[in-house]
Amino acid sequence: MIYLDNGATSFYKPQSVKQAVIKAMHQCASPGRGGYKAAQNAGKTVFRCRELAGALFDCLPDRVVFTSNCTHSLNMAIRTLVKPGDRVVVSGFEHNAVMRPLYALNAKIYIAGRELFDNKDTIRKFEYIVKQGVDAAVFTHCSNVFGYILPIKDMAVICRKYNVPFIIDCAQSAGVLPISMKELEADFIAMPGHKGLLGPQGTGLLLCSRLPEPLHFGGTGSQSALYEMPEYLPDRGEAGTLNVPGIAGLAAGISYILKTGTNQILLEERQAARAVGEFLGQNGFAVFLGEPQTGTVSFIPHTDCEHAASVLDRHGIAVRGGLHCAPLAHESVGTLDTGTVRLSFGVDSSEKQVFEVKKILKKVMNEL
Amino acid sequence: MKSCFITLPTLTAAQMAESQLRRSGIQCRIQRSPKWMEEQGCGNGITVPFDVFDKCITILKNNRIPYKKAYLKDEGGKMEVLEL
């Protein structure tokens, strides 16, 4: 299978990730729940992952809260900053992991910047809305549908200038683009562990500059005589037993990223996406290519997008058709009615893979 | 040899303390705090040699690692609270 659905989850993980999961299952009990060897092993395993995440994202290890996925992280961050009825500015490319929690809070949502690959427009409209007065900002680093990289540094500067607390959704960028918590000074940065960071599913991270409001309440292995959650990071956001095997695998994934470098990963994924995107464009499909873009590219097939995705599946290419849980992004670009077929390349992308994809596309072109 | 036991609010804080102290050439050990030390319930601490206690506290402060209390442990194992 040629796997081009890395926007959903990475599938081909480094061998070291699988080995780390198995090792943890053999050697680790629950971290912080005892002084015996297996509990200590778990504590060390989890702390190593915090340190690696701190190294990759330029933050202290205790600022790294482990969650079960990026949606979990976003919910915790949004519930901390946004109160019912608050005014919140978002970009025009948000995923439902941002939009649904905001709707659930009955937030007044202002959408800033709906022009694909137009950073100037995004910045101008974002500042215009922030200047009017908002209670919080939530924006994605990168569109999960179109691979559009938003100007988050400029958006962060605007938020700080107007004292607006903000959350960055790095679901598609963690492990692919450089992210510095220190430089961005975001209140929270949310990310999955199982996409670009190459960890197992069931892992996520929330980088915190401030104490989050817990989503879950329960045991932390600390301050157990209190009925309130601890006022310390990371325990405040980590009630219940952690996913230690998952976190062990995530540490191996982050370690792989640190060794390879996000620049190299981005370069290869982007080259692959561009090559295939241009090929589709040359063959009469509407393809969304632009700058700045990651290794994710969408196109509109001549048939139904789900049908096109199933044709590709029959020929060994795994892609995702539809709305990709991001109706707002599709609405911004005008593809809400048709949906798109998304090809999102991963760390296994190569010239050989591109050659194979083009070969299959050529063969099934009339069915798409 | 006299040693000190410094209590910290979370296991992560104890691990950060251990990591920072090791970088400064100070060997230390993470241990679960004795029950009587923790008014708020379970906790963790680090054992460090008494002769570098002040240096340890400075390192924790400089690295903004939260700590709670410190205890002096004599050769006989008797412990007393240290003023911080």
Side-chain angles (χ1 to χ4, degrees):
Chain A
M1 173 178 66
I2 297 174
Y3 184 79
L4 301 183
D5 197 18
N6 290 278
T9 194
S10 52
F11 186 71
Y12 293 117
K13 320 274 187 186
Q15 196 59 28
S16 57
V17 171
K18 297 168 194 172
Q19 285 165 350
V21 171
I22 291 168
K23 189 178 168 193
M25 292 186 80
H26 280 289
Q27 298 181 354
C28 295
S30 190
R33 305 309 204 259
Y36 52 89
K37 184 75 179 164
Q40 284 180 22
N41 288 342
K44 282 176 189 167
T45 299
V46 170
F47 186 64
R48 180 174 141 70
C49 192
R50 289 193 211 280
E51 283 194 309
L52 288 166
L56 186 58
F57 301 117
D58 204 6
C59 68
L60 290 170
D62 64 349
R63 302 283 145 161
V64 179
V65 167
F66 290 115
T67 61
S68 53
N69 50 50
C70 190
T71 299
H72 179 182
S73 302
L74 281 165
N75 270 271
M76 201 187 316
I78 287 170
R79 290 269 164 175
T80 303
L81 294 191
V82 181
K83 302 298 163 229
D86 273 359
R87 300 157 302 167
V88 181
V89 61
V90 300
S91 83
F93 297 91
E94 300 306 322
H95 188 276
N96 274 345
V98 167
M99 299 305 287
R100 285 181 173 171
L102 292 176
Y103 267 85
L105 284 164
N106 203 22
K108 292 190 187 82
I109 301 170
Y110 300 89
I111 301 163
R114 308 195 74 164
E115 301 295 325
L116 189 61
F117 304 123
D118 190 342
N119 277 351
K120 278 186 186 165
D121 179 74
T122 301
I123 294 166
R124 195 176 62 245
K125 290 189 174 141
F126 186 77
E127 179 155 24
Y128 176 78
I129 291 172
V130 171
K131 210 168 17 174
Q132 309 299 308
V134 290
D135 300 299
V138 190
F139 45 90
T140 188
H141 192 178
C142 175
S143 163
N144 69 310
V145 184
F146 302 103
Y148 167 36
I149 303 168
L150 278 81
I152 60 162
K153 284 186 191 171
D154 299 280
M155 293 162 91
V157 168
I158 291 165
C159 287
R160 292 200 302 271
K161 182 175 163 189
Y162 294 96
N163 289 321
V164 171
F166 64 105
I167 301 162
I168 308 177
D169 172 7
C170 290
Q172 301 295 320
S173 57
V176 178
L177 294 168
I179 297 164
S180 168
M181 185 70 169
K182 201 170 164 186
E183 188 186 354
L184 291 164
E185 292 181 61
D187 291 77
F188 297 104
I189 295 181
M191 59 184 68
H194 63 97
K195 295 187 183 183
L197 294 179
L198 306 173
Q201 290 171 24
T203 58
L205 300 97
L206 181 64
L207 311 181
C208 306
S209 289
R210 60 198 275 175
L211 278 181
E213 286 304 318
L215 271 188
H216 303 141
F217 299 80
T220 56
S222 57
Q223 302 182 330
S224 306
L226 302 180
Y227 288 122
E228 295 87 27
M229 287 294 284
E231 294 280 331
Y232 291 97
L233 282 167
D235 295 24
R236 188 169 176 78
E238 293 182 347
T241 303
L242 288 174
N243 173 7
V244 178
I247 291 167
L250 176 58
I254 297 175
S255 198
Y256 178 91
I257 307 281
L258 284 165
K259 275 179 205 149
T260 311
T262 51
N263 287 344
Q264 187 61 28
I265 291 168
L266 177 64
L267 183 72
E268 287 174 11
E269 292 181 5
R270 183 187 269 170
Q271 274 175 355
R274 189 151 287 273
V276 174
E278 283 172 357
F279 179 77
L280 283 162
Q282 286 155 11
N283 284 279
F285 292 95
V287 185
F288 298 94
L289 283 172
E291 289 289 347
Q293 189 171 17
T294 59
T296 290
V297 63
S298 261
F299 74 96
I300 305 175
H302 300 309
T303 61
D304 182 90
C305 59
E306 294 290 1
H307 171 75
S310 70
V311 168
L312 291 170
D313 175 42
R314 281 205 304 276
H315 289 83
I317 302 179
V319 296
R320 182 165 170 196
L323 296 182
H324 315 92
C325 297
L328 183 67
H330 281 284
E331 192 186 277
S332 293
V333 176
T335 52
L336 190 60
D337 292 336
T338 59
T340 60
V341 173
R342 179 186 72 180
L343 299 89
S344 47
F345 288 81
V347 287
D348 61 326
S349 61
S350 63
E351 280 183 24
K352 187 176 170 242
Q353 187 187 59
V354 168
F355 178 79
E356 289 297 322
V357 171
K358 282 187 188 173
K359 200 167 85 179
I360 293 167
L361 284 172
K362 210 170 179 179
K363 198 170 147 190
V364 301
M365 204 68 87
N366 293 337
E367 296 178 62
L368 299 178
Chain B
M1 199 178 83
K2 281 183 183 174
S3 63
C4 294
F5 189 75
I6 305 167
T7 59
L8 299 105
T10 63
L11 174 59
T12 307
Q15 290 170 316
M16 286 170 69
E18 182 190 40
S19 176
Q20 282 300 334
L21 294 176
R22 287 219 168 128
R23 265 176 225 160
S24 303
I26 299 170
Q27 288 303 310
C28 70
R29 194 160 40 100
I30 298 175
Q31 283 175 287
R32 299 274 292 174
S33 308
K35 175 79 175 71
W36 64 266
M37 275 185 192
E38 297 285 353
E39 287 165 15
Q40 296 180 330
C42 312
N44 290 274
I46 50 169
T47 300
V48 298
F50 176 67
D51 59 344
V52 289
F53 172 72
D54 288 340
K55 191 178 170 189
C56 290
I57 293 295
T58 305
I59 290 168
L60 297 187
K61 277 182 184 164
N62 289 346
N63 288 282
R64 285 190 272 172
I65 298 170
Y67 55 88
K68 297 198 293 186
K69 286 184 176 178
Y71 300 83
L72 173 66
K73 189 178 181 181
D74 66 21
E75 286 88 344
K78 195 180 159 198
M79 294 183 107
E80 63 178 272
V81 180
L82 283 170
E83 289 295 324
L84 288 171

